[in-house]
Amino acid sequence: MKPVYLRPKSLTGVVTHYCPGCTHGIAHRLVAEIIDELRIQGKAIGVASVGCSVFAYNYFDVDFQQAAHGRAPAVATGIKRVHPDRIVFTYQGDGDMASIGAAEIVHAAARRENITVIFINNAIYGMTGGQMAPTTLEGQVTTTSPMGRDHKSQGYPLRMPELLAAVDGAYYIARCSLHNAAHIGRAKRAIKQAFQNQMEGKGFSMVELLSTCPTNWRMSPVKAMEWVEKHMIPVYPLGEFKSGEGE
Amino acid sequence: MSEPILMKGNEAIAEAAIRAGCRFFFGYPITPQNEIPEYMSKRLPEAGGVFVQAESEVASINMVYGAAGAGARVMTSSSSPGISLMMEGISYIAGAELPCVIVNISRGGPGLGGIQPSQSDYFQATKGGGHGDYKLIVYGPSSVQEACDLMIKAFDVADKYRNPVMILGDGMIGQMMEPVVFRDQPGEAAPDKKPWATTGNEGRKSNLITSIYLDPEVLDAHNWKLYQKYKRIEENEVMYESYRADDAEWLLVAYGTVARICISVMEKMREEGFRVGLIRPITLWPFPKTAFDEVADRAKGFLCVEMSTGQMVEDVRLAVEGRAPVYFYGRTGGAVPLPRNIEKRMHQVIAGRTPVVTECLDKNQGGGGR
Ligand SMILES: Cc1ncc(C[n+]2csc(CCOP(=O)(O)OP(=O)(O)O)c2C)c(N)n1
Ligand code: SF4
Ligand SMILES: [Mg+2]
């Protein structure tokens, strides 16, 4: 019998702590498959952020550093400058990157750091129990926007790829979604591109993945996938925002 | 030995770091330490190293974390407000047990304060500053030469204990020019194998740099392991100098450049027949308690002099343990304690005058004693 679906070598096989239906697991698998396909397990160094994925290092079988909240791009900069021939990637949530770490991500891109950034946008602070994130949609109810996010006092959702695409030092910027198989396939191609760019020394690559948090959205996993398609994609259009250096 | 060269403190510190094998520098401009990053930006690429001007001190210290975790000899430098911004990162570095060197050419606070020399970051450096049960090894150099020697030592000690080390200089150390001799043997070579570093897991199990331990039992064990390390550091790394302490009745206590001012006061008073000595802590943490044990039983009193409203004086009191009275004299904000005022204060101490909390010792020169 020929197995058709195996665990990627770059995953440890430790059972994750993620809630059932959470797309963090899908994103992990995609990254691990690509590390395997590109045969870079022995030279990959991951940087885990603060958020539900703080323990990502338990699941990826590669060297890892755990960074302070928002600082993964700075930590990755330190690693990459010491080991320019290794493949350094960060794995960050939307609170981590778009809020507390907004400066670090913009400047890592501006410096043209040759790193790969995986950005999990689930429109919420998952780990701390469902507070409003900078990416929370208008009208979306969270524990700190109980009446729904009101742009008059709480502003608008922040679109990181659009923002980073305006940075000359950024090489590859894309947004994909994990809400169905076809989109997961596209996401995998974008992530692969983002790693290949680094291997070719092309500079800063970032892929945003529209993701679910069924627990804090208070939805079933299936409903959560539908919610991504119906409510997130209109606000967060998919596609490549930049491929190539400079303006 | 090489020839003495006349160098500005900040540049000498940077050169010493390079000679100690430091090849990575991440920092953000702030007065009065700018000559360190400026020097590094020129010299490090020549030495095959990397200089990055970060977007903030927050980013700098986290770049240091990444580079240290990747196995490099790495440093940053800043001054007080910037060091405050680094505190979260320093706590992470201590928690993850990463070796690095942080230079604080400190200036007056609180807030934006001023840019003149100050010693008001003593508490922040020695008592934590960041969150959690951790310790920085802190050196307080009193000359440019000593700053260079301690810089080289700092990298060795950081690697030996896998602990962050701080050089706490006041602005005077950074800005003054003095002759320095760079030792031919620049300390121990950087260990070329750090088996715990994240270098890619080729041929071995994956390495992890982290400071998160959600299980209380595991975090408790981790903290006690750190505590044991700090005990070893206390046993092995204490540095201080005692001057004419053998027969001293009255002891000045000062660190950094203030100690040099106090030495001139001590010598003048000795000539006048007063048995004055001086204790100069070089490691501010671990604090040299033994220096006080050697003299506390016969000493009649201690006068701690600082460019602060009184921070190290608390450690002096803990070290003296009530065996003699401990007095204080300080200036802040960039005002430097003048020899004549230190002497005046010492005469009050000798005369047994009750310490006054704030007292103008000189109409034009304020300064508090207690
Ligand atoms: C300096 C600091 N502030 C706040 C926190 C608390 N905190 C932990 S996770 C988190 C939010 C993470 O949200 P996100 O990045 O969106 O990740 P998710 O859990 O949604 O995957 C916060 C605010 C922290 N650990 N450190
Ligand atoms: S809280 Fe949300 S983001 Fe975190 S693991 Fe659960 S579903 Fe995923
Ligand atoms: Mg989130």
Side-chain angles (χ1 to χ4, degrees), chain A residues 73-74 77 81 104 106-114 167 169, chain B residues 52-55 59 63:
Chain A
T77 298
R81 295 299 182 116
E104 281 75 11
V106 168
H107 286 275
R111 280 192 310 271
R112 198 193 171 277
E113 293 299 339
N114 190 27
V167 177
Chain B
V52 176
Q53 180 166 319
E55 60 272 29
M63 291 175 186

Side-chain angles (χ1 to χ4, degrees), chain B residues 315-331:
Chain B
D315 283 333
V316 175
R317 291 207 172 102
L318 285 171
V320 170
E321 284 189 297
R323 286 171 284 185
V326 176
Y327 304 95
F328 176 76
Y329 177 63
R331 299 296 313 276

Side-chain angles (χ1 to χ4, degrees), chain A residues 5-29:
Chain A
Y5 193 76
L6 289 173
R7 169 160 52 80
K9 252 175 68 222
S10 300
L11 286 182
T12 55
V14 172
V15 176
T16 75
H17 68 291
Y18 299 119
C19 309
C22 172
T23 48
H24 268 305
I26 298 173
H28 279 29
R29 183 176 170 102

Side-chain angles (χ1 to χ4, degrees), chain B residues 143-315:
Chain B
S143 68
V144 174
Q145 180 67 58
E146 191 176 46
C148 289
D149 295 343
L150 289 174
M151 209 50 211
I152 290 166
K153 191 176 177 61
F155 283 99
D156 291 342
V157 169
D159 277 332
K160 183 169 168 194
Y161 296 98
R162 284 185 62 180
N163 207 70
V165 177
M166 178 177 278
I167 302 282
L168 182 60
D170 49 66
M172 254 186 293
I173 286 284
Q175 293 300 320
M176 72 185 167
M177 288 186 89
E178 285 191 316
V180 280
V181 175
F182 290 102
R183 283 183 282 152
D184 293 335
Q185 279 294 320
E188 294 151 36
D192 47 39
K193 274 261 174 297
K194 294 185 178 176
W196 46 265
T198 58
T199 55
N201 71 6
E202 196 82 74
R204 60 159 167 76
K205 284 199 349 206
S206 295
N207 281 344
L208 170 66
I209 303 294
T210 190
S211 64
I212 182 170
Y213 301 98
L214 286 186
D215 180 335
E217 294 298 325
V218 177
L219 182 54
D220 184 48
H222 175 64
N223 275 315
W224 287 109
K225 187 186 119 201
L226 290 179
Y227 173 86
Q228 293 304 337
K229 175 169 86 174
Y230 301 144
K231 281 280 151 218
R232 283 202 309 281
I233 296 169
E234 281 182 326
E235 278 158 27
N236 300 321
E237 301 301 334
V238 163
M239 287 174 73
Y240 64 92
E241 251 178 4
S242 297
Y243 303 80
R244 308 194 71 167
D246 297 346
D247 65 339
E249 294 179 329
W250 308 98
L251 284 122
L252 287 156
V253 188
Y255 71 98
T257 53
V258 177
R260 291 167 71 171
I261 303 170
C262 286
I263 287 174
S264 62
V265 173
M266 174 191 80
E267 275 160 4
K268 178 160 181 284
M269 292 188 75
R270 277 276 175 177
E271 276 168 31
E272 291 162 2
F274 296 97
R275 296 228 294 246
V276 177
L278 181 134
I279 293 172
R280 179 172 77 86
I282 298 172
T283 48
L284 305 179
W285 193 89
F287 192 72
K289 296 189 191 108
T290 44
F292 295 86
D293 290 335
E294 288 161 10
V295 298
D297 286 331
R298 65 170 179 278
K300 293 189 174 161
F302 293 83
L303 175 60
C304 185
V305 185
E306 297 175 60
M307 289 192 286
S308 76
T309 57
Q311 300 194 9
M312 182 175 74
V313 65
E314 296 193 2
D315 283 333

Side-chain angles (χ1 to χ4, degrees), chain A residues 24 93-95 120-126 133 135:
Chain A
H24 268 305
D94 43 354
I120 305 296
N121 177 1
N122 56 11
I124 208 148
Y125 283 48
T135 44

Side-chain angles (χ1 to χ4, degrees), chain B residues 3-211:
Chain B
E3 288 294 301
I5 333 171
L6 193 63
M7 274 185 107
K8 202 176 199 179
N10 281 336
E11 292 179 348
I13 284 170
E15 180 60 31
I18 292 172
R19 290 183 188 227
C22 172
R23 289 293 176 274
F24 296 88
F25 182 99
F26 304 93
Y28 187 82
I30 185 170
T31 308
Q33 61 81 55
N34 288 322
E35 294 84 358
I36 300 178
E38 284 165 2
Y39 190 92
M40 285 302 202
S41 68
K42 184 164 176 292
R43 273 283 284 130
L44 264 178
E46 289 170 7
V50 174
F51 166 89
V52 176
Q53 180 166 319
E55 60 272 29
S56 68
E57 291 85 351
V58 174
S60 310
I61 196 68
N62 285 285
M63 291 175 186
V64 168
Y65 176 102
R73 274 204 163 171
V74 54
M75 71 171 288
T76 184
S77 69
S78 187
S79 182
S80 311
I83 298 288
S84 292
L85 269 184
M86 291 185 188
M87 280 301 153
E88 183 199 28
I90 292 175
S91 168
Y92 271 68
I93 288 171
E97 293 193 87
L98 297 177
C100 70
V101 177
I102 302 146
V103 175
N104 180 3
I105 301 297
S106 62
R107 55 189 249 181
L112 204 43
I115 59 169
Q116 299 298 325
S118 171
Q119 294 181 319
S120 49
D121 294 354
Y122 179 93
F123 281 154
Q124 186 194 52
T126 61
K127 309 290 175 194
H131 58 285
D133 265 335
Y134 78 92
K135 287 290 180 192
L136 279 178
I137 300 162
V138 186
Y139 294 108
S142 74
S143 68
V144 174
Q145 180 67 58
E146 191 176 46
C148 289
D149 295 343
L150 289 174
M151 209 50 211
I152 290 166
K153 191 176 177 61
F155 283 99
D156 291 342
V157 169
D159 277 332
K160 183 169 168 194
Y161 296 98
R162 284 185 62 180
N163 207 70
V165 177
M166 178 177 278
I167 302 282
L168 182 60
D170 49 66
M172 254 186 293
I173 286 284
Q175 293 300 320
M176 72 185 167
M177 288 186 89
E178 285 191 316
V180 280
V181 175
F182 290 102
R183 283 183 282 152
D184 293 335
Q185 279 294 320
E188 294 151 36
D192 47 39
K193 274 261 174 297
K194 294 185 178 176
W196 46 265
T198 58
T199 55
N201 71 6
E202 196 82 74
R204 60 159 167 76
K205 284 199 349 206
S206 295
N207 281 344
L208 170 66
I209 303 294
T210 190
S211 64

